[in-house]
Amino acid sequence: MATSPGYLLRETAGNLRRHMVMTLAAVLTMAVSLAALGGVLIMRQAVNTASLQWKGGVELAIFLQPGVSHNESVAIGRELSTAQGVKSYHYVNQVRAYKEFKTIFGGEPDLVNAVSVKDMPSSYRVVPTNATDVSQLGNTFNGQPGVLHVSYAQQEIDTLLNQFRRLRLGALIIATLVMAVAVVLIVNTLQLAIFARRREVAVMKLVGATNWFIRIPFMLEGLVHGIVGAAIAFAFAFLARNGIASLVGSESLVGQTQKLYVTTHEAILTGVVVLVVGAAVGAIGSGFAVRRFLAV
């Protein structure tokens, strides 16, 4: 039996109107759970941005004085090229360092505007052969002429991740529990709708209607629950993205606690994930709710 778009829209809208209170409860519960999930994703993106300088297996950063001489910089690079325990390294000049700085501290425009390219320390980013070589390499270069300070990835990233893990665990527990409640509400809402029409469903089955012909309007109802709830969650996560990201703090290069942030592009990607999850949960939950009533 063919299913027309008009029939699907009429049936879906009718089901939503008949159980408005349960529909609103399902949507709001879905929104809360997906907002918690969106918060976790935003914090994860903020942590990735804050640890930008440690990408590619870099475990050690040798920051040079802003006014380091060419000879001092070359001497450090030459020593790195012959040092034991160095797997690879690369040089980050002041221009690239400033670009990196603007990305990491994008949530603090006053700080970004207060410095310029010439204020940024160039650096050597070092990938050691073994993690145990990091401390020894750091001691070798710390205090040498032209060296501002030596930073260790493990120390900074561990501090950042420890804060993130605690927040992530709490948010995921909330998201899981509330998502379970949302699914139960969606299932109950759809079961009420199809129970009220059980005689009509039985007649439709007897005259040859397929299970999918009966199921699709109810699945679309669950899909609407999920998408609307996800849209509300996305709006909240997008507007509060910097506040959520700043829950994870990081010690910055200037010795202050850095408020992490995410870009608009990253927040939109999070919204896409939240919408997909909401739509999937709504549709799957509704499909499960309808299944038991189709055995006529």
Side-chain angles (χ1 to χ4, degrees):
M1 183 177 292
T3 305
S4 68
Y7 166 79
L8 293 178
L9 293 175
R10 286 194 303 273
E11 289 298 304
T12 301
N15 290 340
L16 290 171
R17 286 195 303 269
R18 290 186 194 101
H19 303 91
M20 184 61 69
V21 174
M22 290 293 287
T23 294
L24 290 175
V27 167
L28 291 176
T29 309
M30 181 72 78
V32 172
S33 62
L34 291 174
L37 175 62
V40 171
L41 295 176
I42 282 176
M43 285 188 287
R44 175 73 267 176
Q45 290 169 333
V47 169
N48 288 338
T49 299
S51 58
L52 180 65
Q53 62 193 14
W54 306 115
K55 299 296 184 182
V58 172
E59 294 284 347
L60 185 73
I62 303 171
F63 290 96
L64 308 181
Q65 298 281 356
V68 64
S69 69
H70 175 72
N71 290 337
E72 288 173 335
S73 177
V74 169
I76 293 170
R78 188 181 299 115
E79 188 170 352
L80 280 170
S81 67
T82 59
Q84 291 185 347
V86 175
K87 181 179 180 181
S88 64
Y89 69 93
H90 63 274
Y91 178 71
V92 177
N93 60 26
Q94 288 181 301
V95 174
R96 184 177 168 189
Y98 183 65
K99 182 179 178 182
E100 185 179 89
F101 182 84
K102 289 195 296 183
T103 300
I104 295 174
F105 291 91
E108 301 180 59
D110 291 339
L111 179 60
V112 172
N113 294 332
V115 298
S116 62
V117 173
K118 66 180 181 180
D119 299 316
M120 298 306 301
S122 54
S123 63
Y124 284 97
R125 309 292 171 83
V126 183
V127 179
T129 304
N130 298 302
T132 54
D133 297 330
V134 172
S135 180
Q136 181 179 349
L137 285 169
N139 292 333
T140 299
F141 291 94
N142 205 7
Q144 283 197 14
V147 174
L148 178 63
H149 68 90
V150 176
S151 290
Y152 300 91
Q154 199 61 44
Q155 295 175 354
E156 298 192 16
I157 292 178
D158 281 352
T159 299
L160 198 61
L161 291 183
N162 285 338
Q163 292 175 321
F164 171 67
R165 287 189 190 105
R166 291 193 296 271
L167 292 167
R168 179 183 60 183
L169 179 61
L172 286 178
I173 290 173
I174 293 172
T176 301
L177 292 176
V178 181
M179 182 71 75
V181 174
V183 171
V184 170
L185 279 173
I186 290 173
V187 169
N188 286 340
T189 301
L190 295 178
Q191 286 182 342
L192 284 173
I194 198 169
F195 182 77
R197 299 177 58 201
R198 61 190 183 280
R199 294 183 182 278
E200 180 183 341
V201 170
V203 171
M204 292 171 68
K205 291 279 290 183
L206 290 173
V207 298
T210 64
N211 286 344
W212 280 108
F213 182 84
I214 300 169
R215 179 185 285 127
I216 288 177
F218 294 100
M219 292 188 68
L220 285 178
E221 183 181 351
L223 187 68
V224 170
H225 292 160
I227 290 177
V228 175
I232 295 171
F234 168 61
F236 167 78
F238 183 83
L239 294 175
R241 61 189 184 279
N242 290 336
I244 294 171
S246 67
L247 294 174
V248 185
S250 173
E251 287 300 315
S252 71
L253 297 179
V254 295
Q256 300 174 343
T257 300
Q258 171 192 350
K259 292 183 179 180
L260 306 191
Y261 90 113
V262 295
T263 64
T264 300
H265 175 70
E266 290 170 333
I268 291 174
L269 289 179
T270 296
V272 172
V273 173
V274 168
L275 286 171
V276 170
V277 172
V281 170
I284 294 171
S286 60
F288 176 80
V290 173
R291 185 181 58 179
R292 60 175 292 194
F293 291 95
L294 296 179
V296 177

Short mmCIF file of all heavy atoms in Angstrom, two decimals, residues 209-249:
data_model
loop_
_atom_site.label_atom_id
_atom_site.label_comp_id
_atom_site.label_asym_id
_atom_site.label_seq_id
_atom_site.Cartn_x
_atom_site.Cartn_y
_atom_site.Cartn_z
N ALA A 209 -3.11 -3.20 4.83
CA ALA A 209 -2.07 -2.20 5.12
C ALA A 209 -0.83 -2.89 5.67
O ALA A 209 -0.92 -3.79 6.50
CB ALA A 209 -2.58 -1.17 6.13
N THR A 210 0.32 -2.48 5.19
CA THR A 210 1.58 -3.06 5.67
C THR A 210 1.96 -2.45 7.02
O THR A 210 1.45 -1.39 7.42
CB THR A 210 2.72 -2.81 4.68
OG1 THR A 210 2.95 -1.39 4.58
CG2 THR A 210 2.38 -3.35 3.30
N ASN A 211 2.85 -3.14 7.70
CA ASN A 211 3.33 -2.62 9.00
C ASN A 211 3.98 -1.25 8.83
O ASN A 211 3.81 -0.36 9.69
CB ASN A 211 4.33 -3.59 9.62
CG ASN A 211 3.66 -4.83 10.17
OD1 ASN A 211 2.44 -4.87 10.36
ND2 ASN A 211 4.43 -5.87 10.43
N TRP A 212 4.71 -1.06 7.74
CA TRP A 212 5.40 0.21 7.54
C TRP A 212 4.41 1.34 7.25
O TRP A 212 4.62 2.49 7.65
CB TRP A 212 6.42 0.11 6.41
CG TRP A 212 7.70 -0.52 6.86
CD1 TRP A 212 8.16 -1.75 6.56
CD2 TRP A 212 8.66 0.07 7.75
NE1 TRP A 212 9.36 -1.99 7.19
CE2 TRP A 212 9.69 -0.88 7.92
CE3 TRP A 212 8.75 1.29 8.41
CZ2 TRP A 212 10.80 -0.65 8.73
CZ3 TRP A 212 9.86 1.53 9.22
CH2 TRP A 212 10.86 0.57 9.37
N PHE A 213 3.30 1.04 6.57
CA PHE A 213 2.28 2.04 6.31
C PHE A 213 1.71 2.58 7.62
O PHE A 213 1.42 3.77 7.75
CB PHE A 213 1.16 1.43 5.47
CG PHE A 213 0.06 2.40 5.10
CD1 PHE A 213 0.19 3.23 4.00
CD2 PHE A 213 -1.10 2.48 5.87
CE1 PHE A 213 -0.82 4.13 3.67
CE2 PHE A 213 -2.11 3.38 5.53
CZ PHE A 213 -1.97 4.20 4.44
N ILE A 214 1.55 1.69 8.60
CA ILE A 214 1.02 2.08 9.90
C ILE A 214 2.11 2.72 10.77
O ILE A 214 1.88 3.67 11.50
CB ILE A 214 0.44 0.84 10.62
CG1 ILE A 214 -0.68 0.22 9.77
CG2 ILE A 214 -0.06 1.21 12.01
CD1 ILE A 214 -1.14 -1.13 10.25
N ARG A 215 3.32 2.19 10.66
CA ARG A 215 4.41 2.59 11.55
C ARG A 215 4.97 3.98 11.24
O ARG A 215 5.31 4.75 12.15
CB ARG A 215 5.53 1.55 11.46
CG ARG A 215 6.73 1.86 12.32
CD ARG A 215 7.84 0.86 12.08
NE ARG A 215 7.55 -0.42 12.71
CZ ARG A 215 7.58 -1.59 12.09
NH1 ARG A 215 7.84 -1.63 10.79
NH2 ARG A 215 7.32 -2.70 12.74
N ILE A 216 5.07 4.33 9.96
CA ILE A 216 5.79 5.56 9.57
C ILE A 216 5.25 6.82 10.23
O ILE A 216 6.02 7.65 10.73
CB ILE A 216 5.83 5.69 8.03
CG1 ILE A 216 6.80 4.65 7.45
CG2 ILE A 216 6.30 7.09 7.63
CD1 ILE A 216 6.85 4.62 5.94
N PRO A 217 3.91 7.07 10.27
CA PRO A 217 3.45 8.30 10.94
C PRO A 217 3.88 8.39 12.40
O PRO A 217 4.21 9.49 12.88
CB PRO A 217 1.92 8.20 10.82
CG PRO A 217 1.69 7.33 9.63
CD PRO A 217 2.79 6.33 9.65
N PHE A 218 3.88 7.26 13.09
CA PHE A 218 4.29 7.29 14.50
C PHE A 218 5.79 7.50 14.63
O PHE A 218 6.26 8.18 15.56
CB PHE A 218 3.87 5.98 15.18
CG PHE A 218 2.37 5.81 15.27
CD1 PHE A 218 1.69 5.00 14.37
CD2 PHE A 218 1.65 6.48 16.24
CE1 PHE A 218 0.32 4.85 14.45
CE2 PHE A 218 0.27 6.33 16.33
CZ PHE A 218 -0.40 5.52 15.43
N MET A 219 6.55 6.94 13.71
CA MET A 219 7.99 7.16 13.74
C MET A 219 8.32 8.61 13.42
O MET A 219 9.25 9.19 14.00
CB MET A 219 8.69 6.22 12.74
CG MET A 219 8.64 4.77 13.15
SD MET A 219 9.64 3.69 12.10
CE MET A 219 11.29 4.22 12.54
N LEU A 220 7.53 9.21 12.52
CA LEU A 220 7.74 10.63 12.23
C LEU A 220 7.42 11.48 13.46
O LEU A 220 8.07 12.51 13.70
CB LEU A 220 6.85 11.06 11.06
CG LEU A 220 7.31 10.60 9.67
CD1 LEU A 220 6.32 11.04 8.61
CD2 LEU A 220 8.69 11.15 9.35
N GLU A 221 6.43 11.06 14.25
CA GLU A 221 6.11 11.79 15.48
C GLU A 221 7.30 11.75 16.43
O GLU A 221 7.69 12.77 17.01
CB GLU A 221 4.89 11.18 16.14
CG GLU A 221 4.46 11.92 17.39
CD GLU A 221 3.24 11.28 18.05
OE1 GLU A 221 2.64 10.37 17.44
OE2 GLU A 221 2.91 11.67 19.19
N GLY A 222 7.91 10.56 16.59
CA GLY A 222 9.10 10.46 17.44
C GLY A 222 10.26 11.26 16.88
O GLY A 222 11.04 11.87 17.62
N LEU A 223 10.35 11.28 15.54
CA LEU A 223 11.41 12.07 14.88
C LEU A 223 11.24 13.55 15.20
O LEU A 223 12.22 14.27 15.46
CB LEU A 223 11.36 11.83 13.37
CG LEU A 223 12.49 12.43 12.54
CD1 LEU A 223 13.80 11.74 12.84
CD2 LEU A 223 12.17 12.30 11.06
N VAL A 224 9.99 14.02 15.19
CA VAL A 224 9.72 15.42 15.52
C VAL A 224 10.12 15.72 16.96
O VAL A 224 10.73 16.74 17.26
CB VAL A 224 8.22 15.75 15.29
CG1 VAL A 224 7.88 17.13 15.87
CG2 VAL A 224 7.90 15.71 13.81
N HIS A 225 9.78 14.79 17.88
CA HIS A 225 10.19 14.96 19.28
C HIS A 225 11.70 15.15 19.38
O HIS A 225 12.19 16.06 20.06
CB HIS A 225 9.79 13.73 20.11
CG HIS A 225 8.33 13.57 20.29
ND1 HIS A 225 7.75 12.37 20.63
CD2 HIS A 225 7.30 14.45 20.16
CE1 HIS A 225 6.44 12.52 20.72
NE2 HIS A 225 6.15 13.78 20.43
N GLY A 226 12.42 14.26 18.70
CA GLY A 226 13.88 14.30 18.78
C GLY A 226 14.47 15.55 18.16
O GLY A 226 15.37 16.17 18.74
N ILE A 227 13.98 15.94 16.99
CA ILE A 227 14.55 17.09 16.29
C ILE A 227 14.25 18.40 17.03
O ILE A 227 15.13 19.26 17.19
CB ILE A 227 14.01 17.16 14.84
CG1 ILE A 227 14.60 16.00 14.02
CG2 ILE A 227 14.36 18.49 14.20
CD1 ILE A 227 14.10 15.91 12.61
N VAL A 228 13.01 18.55 17.52
CA VAL A 228 12.67 19.79 18.25
C VAL A 228 13.48 19.87 19.55
O VAL A 228 14.01 20.93 19.90
CB VAL A 228 11.16 19.84 18.54
CG1 VAL A 228 10.82 21.06 19.42
CG2 VAL A 228 10.37 19.92 17.24
N GLY A 229 13.56 18.74 20.27
CA GLY A 229 14.37 18.73 21.49
C GLY A 229 15.82 19.02 21.20
O GLY A 229 16.48 19.77 21.94
N ALA A 230 16.34 18.46 20.10
CA ALA A 230 17.74 18.71 19.73
C ALA A 230 17.95 20.16 19.33
O ALA A 230 19.00 20.75 19.63
CB ALA A 230 18.14 17.78 18.58
N ALA A 231 16.97 20.76 18.66
CA ALA A 231 17.10 22.17 18.27
C ALA A 231 17.17 23.08 19.50
O ALA A 231 17.96 24.03 19.55
CB ALA A 231 15.91 22.57 17.38
N ILE A 232 16.35 22.78 20.52
CA ILE A 232 16.40 23.55 21.76
C ILE A 232 17.75 23.38 22.44
O ILE A 232 18.36 24.34 22.91
CB ILE A 232 15.26 23.12 22.71
CG1 ILE A 232 13.90 23.47 22.09
CG2 ILE A 232 15.41 23.80 24.08
CD1 ILE A 232 12.72 22.90 22.85
N ALA A 233 18.22 22.13 22.47
CA ALA A 233 19.53 21.85 23.09
C ALA A 233 20.65 22.55 22.34
O ALA A 233 21.58 23.10 22.95
CB ALA A 233 19.78 20.34 23.11
N PHE A 234 20.57 22.55 21.01
CA PHE A 234 21.61 23.21 20.21
C PHE A 234 21.61 24.71 20.46
O PHE A 234 22.67 25.33 20.58
CB PHE A 234 21.39 22.92 18.73
CG PHE A 234 22.23 23.78 17.83
CD1 PHE A 234 23.61 23.72 17.89
CD2 PHE A 234 21.64 24.66 16.93
CE1 PHE A 234 24.39 24.52 17.07
CE2 PHE A 234 22.41 25.45 16.10
CZ PHE A 234 23.79 25.38 16.18
N ALA A 235 20.41 25.32 20.53
CA ALA A 235 20.33 26.76 20.79
C ALA A 235 20.99 27.10 22.13
O ALA A 235 21.75 28.07 22.24
CB ALA A 235 18.88 27.21 20.78
N PHE A 236 20.73 26.28 23.15
CA PHE A 236 21.33 26.52 24.46
C PHE A 236 22.84 26.35 24.39
O PHE A 236 23.60 27.21 24.88
CB PHE A 236 20.74 25.55 25.49
CG PHE A 236 21.52 25.50 26.77
CD1 PHE A 236 21.38 26.50 27.72
CD2 PHE A 236 22.40 24.44 27.03
CE1 PHE A 236 22.11 26.46 28.91
CE2 PHE A 236 23.12 24.40 28.20
CZ PHE A 236 22.98 25.41 29.14
N ALA A 237 23.30 25.23 23.80
CA ALA A 237 24.74 24.97 23.74
C ALA A 237 25.47 26.02 22.92
O ALA A 237 26.59 26.43 23.27
CB ALA A 237 24.98 23.58 23.14
N PHE A 238 24.85 26.51 21.85
CA PHE A 238 25.49 27.51 21.00
C PHE A 238 25.63 28.84 21.74
O PHE A 238 26.69 29.46 21.72
CB PHE A 238 24.69 27.70 19.71
CG PHE A 238 25.32 28.66 18.75
CD1 PHE A 238 26.33 28.24 17.89
CD2 PHE A 238 24.91 29.99 18.69
CE1 PHE A 238 26.92 29.12 17.00
CE2 PHE A 238 25.49 30.87 17.80
CZ PHE A 238 26.50 30.44 16.96
N LEU A 239 24.56 29.27 22.38
CA LEU A 239 24.59 30.56 23.07
C LEU A 239 25.49 30.53 24.31
O LEU A 239 26.09 31.54 24.67
CB LEU A 239 23.17 30.97 23.46
CG LEU A 239 22.21 31.26 22.30
CD1 LEU A 239 20.81 31.53 22.81
CD2 LEU A 239 22.71 32.44 21.46
N ALA A 240 25.57 29.37 24.95
CA ALA A 240 26.35 29.27 26.20
C ALA A 240 27.69 28.58 25.98
O ALA A 240 28.32 28.15 26.94
CB ALA A 240 25.53 28.51 27.25
N ARG A 241 28.15 28.49 24.72
CA ARG A 241 29.32 27.67 24.42
C ARG A 241 30.58 28.11 25.16
O ARG A 241 31.33 27.28 25.68
CB ARG A 241 29.58 27.66 22.91
CG ARG A 241 29.87 29.01 22.27
CD ARG A 241 29.88 28.90 20.76
NE ARG A 241 30.23 30.14 20.09
CZ ARG A 241 29.38 31.13 19.85
NH1 ARG A 241 28.12 31.02 20.26
NH2 ARG A 241 29.78 32.23 19.23
N ASN A 242 30.82 29.41 25.24
CA ASN A 242 32.03 29.87 25.90
C ASN A 242 31.96 29.69 27.41
O ASN A 242 32.96 29.40 28.06
CB ASN A 242 32.31 31.33 25.55
CG ASN A 242 32.74 31.50 24.10
OD1 ASN A 242 33.26 30.57 23.49
ND2 ASN A 242 32.51 32.67 23.53
N GLY A 243 30.76 29.86 27.96
CA GLY A 243 30.59 29.61 29.39
C GLY A 243 30.80 28.15 29.73
O GLY A 243 31.43 27.81 30.74
N ILE A 244 30.29 27.25 28.87
CA ILE A 244 30.48 25.81 29.09
C ILE A 244 31.96 25.45 28.96
O ILE A 244 32.52 24.72 29.78
CB ILE A 244 29.65 25.00 28.08
CG1 ILE A 244 28.16 25.21 28.34
CG2 ILE A 244 29.98 23.51 28.16
CD1 ILE A 244 27.25 24.64 27.26
N ALA A 245 32.61 25.97 27.92
CA ALA A 245 34.02 25.66 27.69
C ALA A 245 34.90 26.15 28.83
O ALA A 245 35.89 25.50 29.20
CB ALA A 245 34.49 26.26 26.37
N SER A 246 34.54 27.30 29.42
CA SER A 246 35.38 27.88 30.47
C SER A 246 35.30 27.12 31.78
O SER A 246 36.05 27.41 32.71
CB SER A 246 34.99 29.35 30.70
OG SER A 246 33.68 29.44 31.24
N LEU A 247 34.39 26.12 31.86
CA LEU A 247 34.35 25.29 33.05
C LEU A 247 35.64 24.50 33.20
O LEU A 247 36.01 24.09 34.30
CB LEU A 247 33.16 24.33 33.00
CG LEU A 247 31.77 24.98 33.06
CD1 LEU A 247 30.69 23.94 32.85
CD2 LEU A 247 31.57 25.70 34.38
N VAL A 248 36.31 24.26 32.08
CA VAL A 248 37.62 23.61 32.09
C VAL A 248 38.67 24.71 32.03
O VAL A 248 38.73 25.46 31.07
CB VAL A 248 37.80 22.65 30.89
CG1 VAL A 248 39.12 21.90 31.01
CG2 VAL A 248 36.65 21.67 30.84
N GLY A 249 39.50 24.82 33.04
CA GLY A 249 40.54 25.85 33.07
C GLY A 249 41.89 25.28 32.69
O GLY A 249 42.14 24.09 32.78
#
